[in-house]
Amino acid sequence: MATQQGIKRRIRSVRNTRQITKAMQLVAASKLRRAQLAAVGPQAYMQAARGILESLSATPEAALNPLFMSRPIKNGLTILVAGDRSLAGAYNSNIFKEFKAHISLLGVPQTTICIGRYAARHVARMKEVNERAAYSMDAQDSDIEIAQPVLKEAVDAFVSGEVDAVHIVYTKFVSIIRQEVKTVQLLPIVSSTAGLSGRTLEPSTEEVIALAADRLLEAQVLQTILDGRASFFASQMLAMKNATDNAGDLIDDLTLALNNARQAAITQELAEISAGTEAMTE
C-alpha cells in the first residue's frame, strides 16, 4: 500500500509539472510567431545593406572614415547577445561556448557589452573579461532602444582608439528547429574586392559613406537582437515540448508500475485468504 501511495503522489507531481511545461511551450510558441516575423523580414535587406557597406569600404574616400580603418588588434570589444531567462535548452550555453572560443582565438584584452541578463551573469564570473555595459533582452518592442545605445558605445570605443575591433556573438535564427551561434565582425568594416570607385554618388561619397555606415551598422546590431530573441523562443518552445513529452512518457511508466503494484497486492491478498481458508479447514 505504501508503494502504491508513493507512485500515486509521484504521478500527481509529474502531471503538475507537465501542465507547467505545456503552458510554457504554448507561451513560447505564441511569442515565437511575432519574433520570427520580426527576425526573418529584414534579412534580405540586411544582406544587401552589408554588401553596400563592403563596397563603400573599397572606395578611396572610405580611408578618411575612422569606421573603415583597420589596425593591429591590441584590445577588443565583443557584444554578447544571450537570453534573459533559462529553460531554453542549450541556447545560452552554446552562446557562451562560442564567446569563450572567440576571446581565446583573439588572445587580447576584452571588454564586453552584454545584452541579456544571462550574458551579464556569465561575464561577471569571467576574470579575463571586463563588462562595459549591460542591457536586458526583454520581450517588449524596445529593440531599437537597445540597438542604438549599444552601437554608440561600440563606435565611441572604436573611434577613440580604446578598442581596435568590435565583434558580435549571437544566435542567428535559421528556422524553428535550427539556430546557429555566430561571431561576426562589426568594426572595422572590412574591404570588398568590388568597390564603387567608378560611380558617382550624390550628394558626395564622403556623406554617403558616413550616413550609410551609421544607418546600416545600427540595422546590423538590431538584426542580431531580433535573431537572438527569435532563437531564444524557438529553443524554449522545443525544450518545453521535449519536457512535456518526457513527462507524458514518465506518467505512462509510473501508471504501469502502479498497476503492477496493485495487481501484486491483490494477488498477495488472495494468497493470504486462500492460506487462511486452508488453515481453518484443517
Side-chain angles (χ1 to χ4, degrees):
M1 184 62 69
T3 301
Q4 293 184 47
Q5 292 298 328
I7 295 176
K8 289 179 180 179
R9 283 195 297 269
R10 192 173 179 193
I11 290 176
R12 286 195 297 269
S13 176
V14 175
R15 281 177 177 166
N16 292 336
T17 302
R18 184 176 63 175
Q19 290 179 348
I20 295 172
T21 57
K22 183 64 176 179
M24 294 182 67
Q25 175 190 344
L26 295 176
V27 171
S30 175
K31 293 181 178 180
L32 172 62
R33 179 180 177 84
R34 184 173 61 179
Q36 181 180 2
L37 293 174
V40 174
Q43 284 183 355
Y45 166 78
M46 281 304 308
Q47 185 176 358
R50 189 65 187 176
I52 292 174
L53 272 181
E54 292 178 354
S55 298
L56 288 171
S57 69
T59 63
E61 291 81 2
L64 304 177
N65 191 303
L67 300 181
F68 293 82
M69 296 180 181
S70 298
R71 52 183 181 263
I73 301 178
K74 299 180 180 178
N75 294 281
L77 171 64
T78 301
I79 301 171
L80 181 62
V81 183
D84 272 349
R85 295 172 295 278
S86 58
L87 299 177
Y91 174 80
N92 287 314
S93 61
N94 288 339
I95 295 173
F96 300 151
K97 288 178 183 177
E98 176 68 18
F99 176 62
K100 184 176 180 179
H102 164 65
I103 62 176
S104 298
L105 180 64
L106 287 182
V108 297
Q110 286 282 334
T111 57
T112 304
I113 297 177
C114 299
I115 301 178
R117 294 190 183 96
Y118 267 71
R121 292 179 186 177
H122 181 74
V123 170
R125 295 192 295 266
M126 300 180 66
K127 297 180 180 179
E128 66 272 26
V129 179
N130 295 320
E131 182 182 292
R132 184 184 184 94
Y135 299 86
S136 173
M137 173 74 84
D138 54 39
Q140 305 300 320
D141 296 326
S142 58
D143 307 292
I144 196 64
E145 297 177 5
I146 300 174
Q148 286 178 339
V150 167
L151 181 61
K152 186 178 186 306
E153 287 269 358
V155 170
D156 289 347
F158 180 78
V159 171
S160 66
E162 184 179 346
V163 299
D164 304 302
V166 178
H167 294 81
I168 303 179
V169 178
Y170 74 108
T171 305
K172 179 178 176 58
F173 181 82
V174 180
S175 67
I176 293 178
I177 60 174
R178 182 185 172 198
Q179 301 88 41
E180 298 177 352
V181 181
K182 304 191 72 173
T183 300
V184 297
Q185 179 174 309
L186 186 67
L187 294 171
I189 301 171
V190 296
S191 298
S192 172
T193 55
L196 299 175
S197 56
R199 305 180 186 180
T200 301
L201 300 177
E202 296 291 343
S204 69
T205 303
E206 292 85 353
E207 292 179 78
V208 170
I209 289 175
L211 180 61
D214 290 342
R215 294 293 181 267
L216 300 183
L217 286 176
E218 181 180 298
Q220 186 174 2
V221 174
L222 176 60
Q223 181 66 49
T224 63
I225 297 173
L226 295 174
D227 275 335
R229 178 171 290 126
S231 298
F232 173 81
F233 288 133
S235 298
Q236 187 179 56
M237 185 189 70
L238 292 177
M240 292 301 100
K241 181 181 183 303
N242 291 335
T244 302
D245 294 342
N246 291 339
D249 294 340
L250 182 56
I251 289 173
D252 292 340
D253 293 341
L254 291 172
T255 301
L256 179 60
L258 177 62
N259 292 336
N260 291 336
R262 184 183 294 117
Q263 185 62 46
I266 294 173
T267 302
Q268 182 179 357
E269 290 177 2
L270 290 175
E272 292 175 353
I273 293 172
S274 176
T277 302
E278 292 178 0
M280 291 177 64
T281 57
E282 290 179 357

